[in-house]
């Protein structure tokens, strides 16, 4: 089975990212509203201080206020991604983004669908490691770029799970 092209993989990942983010935003609307309200309040205080020629308010309180909501929102996004990606990868070999672009996940060693373990490992290697503070952004970039020099066009999360992304027949 021919491997999926790099740009198809990127397109599928973008579609999946939009879906996961939209669902998480809908489910986390109250968290987003609270963060927006805290930001608006801080902005109003900073604007009033600037107009009065005073020092801006201390941002420590603002950051302390929004940190719990940001953490909850990040965890919600991880949960939505898990519920979306793991079952679709195991049961169909495809998320909606992969379906749209004609690609599918399969085990590296043989044709067929990934195991539950491989579906979970792909998700951990793609989403969970990327969410770790201090290393997540670097890991995400390296994970995405890995397909440009890997002969099997595998990302790091493919290597962790021992999978490849192929063209759908």
């Amino acid at each position: 089975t021919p491997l999926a092209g790099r740009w198809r993989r990127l397109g599928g990942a973008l579609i999946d990212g939009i879906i996961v983010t939209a669902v998480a935003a809908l489910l986390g609307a109250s968290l987003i509203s609270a963060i927006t309200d805290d930001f608006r309040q801080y902005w109003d205080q900073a604007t009033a201080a600037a107009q009065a020629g005073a020092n801006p308010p201390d941002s420590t309180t603002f950051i302390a206020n929004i940190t719990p909501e940001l953490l909850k929102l990040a965890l919600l996004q991880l949960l939505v991604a898990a519920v979306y990606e793991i079952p679709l990868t195991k049961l169909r070999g495809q998320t909606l983004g992969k379906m749209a672009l004609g690609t599918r996940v399969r085990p590296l060693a043989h044709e067929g669908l990934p195991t539950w373990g491989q579906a979970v490992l792909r998700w951990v290697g793609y989403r969970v490691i990327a969410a770790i503070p201090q290393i997540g952004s670097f890991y995400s970039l390296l994970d995405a770029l890995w397909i440009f020099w890997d002969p099997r066009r595998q990302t790091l999360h493919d290597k962790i799970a021992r999978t490849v992304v192929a063209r759908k027949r």
Side-chain angles (χ1 to χ4, degrees):
T1 306
L3 297 174
R6 293 168 179 95
W7 297 110
R8 281 185 187 269
R9 289 194 66 174
L10 176 62
L14 287 173
I15 291 168
D16 291 335
I18 290 167
I19 292 167
V20 168
T21 300
V23 172
L26 287 172
L27 295 174
S30 64
L31 294 169
I32 294 169
S33 177
I35 293 166
T36 304
D37 290 345
D38 286 339
F39 179 78
R40 202 172 286 127
Q41 181 181 7
Y42 179 77
W43 182 263
D44 290 345
Q45 291 171 356
T47 301
Q51 289 172 348
N55 290 328
D58 183 19
S59 63
T60 309
T61 305
F62 166 66
I63 293 169
N65 286 343
I66 66 167
T67 297
E69 281 84 14
L70 288 172
L71 284 172
K72 290 175 191 172
L73 200 55
L75 289 173
L76 178 62
Q77 181 134 354
L78 275 176
L79 179 63
V80 168
V83 169
Y84 170 72
E85 292 168 3
I86 295 171
L88 284 173
T89 299
K90 164 54 185 136
L91 300 173
R92 295 191 53 111
Q94 301 173 287
T95 56
L96 296 176
K98 286 178 182 60
M99 287 179 209
L101 292 173
T103 63
R104 64 184 175 86
V105 177
R106 71 170 187 82
L108 176 62
H110 58 84
E111 280 294 327
L113 293 171
T115 65
W116 281 108
Q118 287 174 314
V120 170
L121 284 173
R122 277 180 63 81
W123 175 76
V124 168
Y126 183 49
R127 299 284 186 172
V128 176
I129 297 174
I132 298 172
Q134 309 302 321
I135 65 165
S137 296
F138 175 73
Y139 173 83
S140 289
L141 179 62
L142 188 60
D143 182 49
L145 292 175
W146 203 268
I147 64 172
F148 287 104
W149 56 77
D150 189 87
R152 293 186 187 124
R153 297 183 194 148
Q154 287 178 293
T155 57
L156 294 177
H157 64 273
D158 284 317
K159 291 195 174 293
I160 291 168
R162 304 189 73 188
T163 59
V164 292
V165 177
R167 294 287 306 262
K168 187 174 182 227
R169 292 189 221 184

